[in-house]
Amino acid sequence: MAESNNHVSHDKPNTKEEKEEDNEKTSLESESQEEEEELESEYDSDDGGESEDSDEEDMEEEPKLRYRRVGAGVRDLLEKDAASALRVSDKFVALGTHWGAVHVLDFEGNVIKTFQKHSATVNDISIDDAGEFVASASDDGKVYIYSLYTNEIQYFNYRRPVKALALDPEFARKSTRQFVSGGMAEQLIMNEKGWLGHKDVILHANEGPIYSIQWRGNFIAWANDEGVKMYDTTTNLRITYIDRPEGSPRADLYKCRMSWKNDSTLLIAWADTVKVAVVKEKPKHLQQQGQPIHYVEIISMFQTDYIVSGIAPFNDTLLLLGYIIDDDEHALDADTQDPKLQRKKRAVRPELHIINDDNEEISADVLALHGFEHYQANDYVLEFLDEEDMFYVLGPKDLVAARPRDQDDHIEWLMDHERYGDALQAARDAELYHGGSRRFDVGEIGQTYLNWLVEHKDYEDAAKNCSGVLGNDRTMWEDWVFRFVELGELKAIAPYIPVKDPQLSSTLYEIVLAWFLKSDHQALRSTIHKWPRSLYSLSNVIVAVEDYLLKDKDNEILLECLADLYTYNNQPDKAIEYNLRLRRPNAFELIQEYNMFDAVKDKAILLMEFDQHLFESEREEAENGVGNGVGNKGSPKYLKKPTQMPAVQMLVKNTEAIPPNKVVPQLRSHRQFLHVYLDALFDRDRHIGYEFHDLQVELYADFDYPKLLDFLRASHYVSLEKAYSVCERKDFVPEMVFILGRMGDNKKALMLIIERLGDVQRAIDFAKEQKDDDLWEDLLTYSMDKPKFIRGLLENVGTDIEPLRLIKRIPDGLEIPGLKEALLKILQDYNLQMSLHEGCEKILVSDSVFLADRMYRTQKRGINCSQDMLCSICDELVFDNTNLDDFPNSILFFCRHAYHERCLLDKDEADNASAATTTTPKNAIHPGTLSTKINHSALLKTTRDIGCPLCREQAAGGNAFVNRMKSQRRGGSNGKTISPGTGSIRSLGVVH
């Protein structure tokens, strides 16, 4: 098993009950404190022979228990006597001595009662569950039972040394007053009270002396030379036998240690072997009359590297009191009669070991008991009070109490071992989950931790922990900041200085900035950026930085600080100067935010230099494969153009505040900058800066020739003569061709294309654009002795030039490469055109015939009329059969809208039309005949554009149609009005 020894840690003594007097309490506390100090000093002296490395290893693991030496009256008792037995109840502690005394003590060690009845060593003590009776067994063969609340003392003499006894747990409640005892007589005797007095019953005998007895509930367990037996008081039967481990030493050398964990679990330790036995009830079908109804199962067994002098349950673990023996000691061998091997040897300190469920050691504490070097394993006793997890270790001259370490003990141990960070966290956890520590203050621990870190020059950690330790205490914050200043480590705490809750004095913040100004300019810059500007006086800091800058004028960090400080101080006019000197991109944002265009309109060169710097930086990043937006390493594909840089964009976007006529004169000596500016200006608005377009021709010719032709095409303000002069000087033929075309000198332009460029296709395209027949003639004339041009013309003939016109002019005998293919292409194109022409002609004829036929059918059809039809204008009847002679002519459209002729036409026109139709020769047909109506209708169609007014208004979406329809509904309330259809308004009929 793994071993790890820990020093004993000591707690302050518990105070006496409140009912005791103050002077007694003070005395007890003083005595307990002295006992603890004595225990600590003894332990330190015992460790003097060990190496320092070993001590450090021992101190790494925190012990599980906290120890204190029980002082008060115990110290006086053990100075004169030696302890031999111990038993603990929830009310008191009973201590037996070698002089035969039994002392009843409180938990502080004060003597409550003393019984001096035995004449020899007290071997065992037992207390009933009610805590009213205490029994003692001694080598003088006597058993005494003392009543603590009456004067009753019972006495039993067995005449042989009694080594163990146990009172019935219900001794005070039962009239039988049972107890069991055993010893050198090799008998387990139960004594009980009957009608005729007490009587003894031998439960077991003749298997060696009995050294241990434990009674819990209905079960009595005892140990003799053969092993451990168990007796059931309900059935009066022995239920089990657990033999002594094979090869273990004699039982009298290392007596068996037992304790009940609960009503059914028995813990057994014999020499170096530990067993855990569980009492279980047999199934009902296996129970037989006269046989035990319980059986015992060993659920765990393991061996240790030491002799177990006591065993007790501790939550889910086991607590073992270990007695350490030397490796060459043969006490663990089989029974021996060699006196030399039975001789006592000098012992080492006992230890308390905690064993978990997996039989693994999780803790081991070394106990510094008085006189330990003179004692053997049987001289120690381990007792426990299960209800309160209290443990007592008894030696002949010492009594030590142990309890589980609480949160305060944990914090104290961490503090003692200078683990202040862990102690601080433990104190915070206690405050969060357990209502806080009773003995420690989080703030005090934090202060101790900070001081310890500073002493060990761990300034970074100290600064990090200031926020959690100092909290919102302004005074403490200021004290610690000044301390860091004194130590010259202000840089460490600067990032953690609070700017709110609490806000410290402005003087302190200025001191921090001044310190950074002298020692760390980068920290100054980052602090200015981080801290709110309201924390300190901006003017004071600006003055300090400017004074320092006089000594180092090119210090970029200080320039940045001044630029930011002026910005924070609402002095953008001064800030912009430093921003431009630093070439900071936010300079343009600052200019636009504060509308500072007047301040920079005379700094065009500085602005353009700034742009050039940014452009070169981005290009360098692109070539190195870093930066934003870079595709492949070294590829400038995604780089911004010079015209897209921030400075030039600011200039062209704010032409009202910074007009071009202010910028151009400044840039005339820097033609590259001037070109970038005017190019960006032209891209934004072609009309702004038009007076500089002539200048731009030269600039494009010098710096950006590929864009020159596009510029000439887009600009309408360029002087063509000047532009031609520039292009002629630079020998830019395509641009010269374009300018000549714009100037109307097409022939010269064509000659340039033919003679200088030799580009047939371009010459043909130029001729097509100009649509000049003379130009074509010139092209044909020039091309007749050039086969290349002839072939190009043959491949591009079409609507612009007749193929025969070209073919007839080709000189005979002229060899033209590809002539056959060109002619074949011309014929194929001609056939295709003719085919398309014939197809279109057929489609046109078919559509014309179809439409004419439909018009004929439409004109020929009749309209269903009714006597109730009303004029859509005057709302009167259109037909009147009662008075045909005086009834006016009517006009009826195919949309079924009817009108009187006089309503539809002007009166004079209507009379003329009627007269023209009714004035006929004497032999003419009657005016009311069908032929007369047709003639009249044809006359109206030829003289006027006749159409239905309502339908025309409806098609135009006018309101007149709506109003007309409303009036028609009012006039047609009889319900006989015929709704107009959607027929054509192209035809009409006349009714006389």
Side-chain angles (χ1 to χ4, degrees), residues 64 160 409 489 588 687 772 821:
K64 302 296 182 181
R160 296 288 302 275
D409 298 329
E489 295 293 335
F588 308 112
H687 305 289
D772 186 352
E821 291 80 3

Side-chain angles (χ1 to χ4, degrees), residues 955-970:
N959 294 328
F961 171 73
V962 179
N963 297 331
R964 182 69 65 183
M965 293 304 295
K966 289 182 180 178
S967 63
Q968 182 175 344
R969 291 192 186 95
R970 290 195 300 269

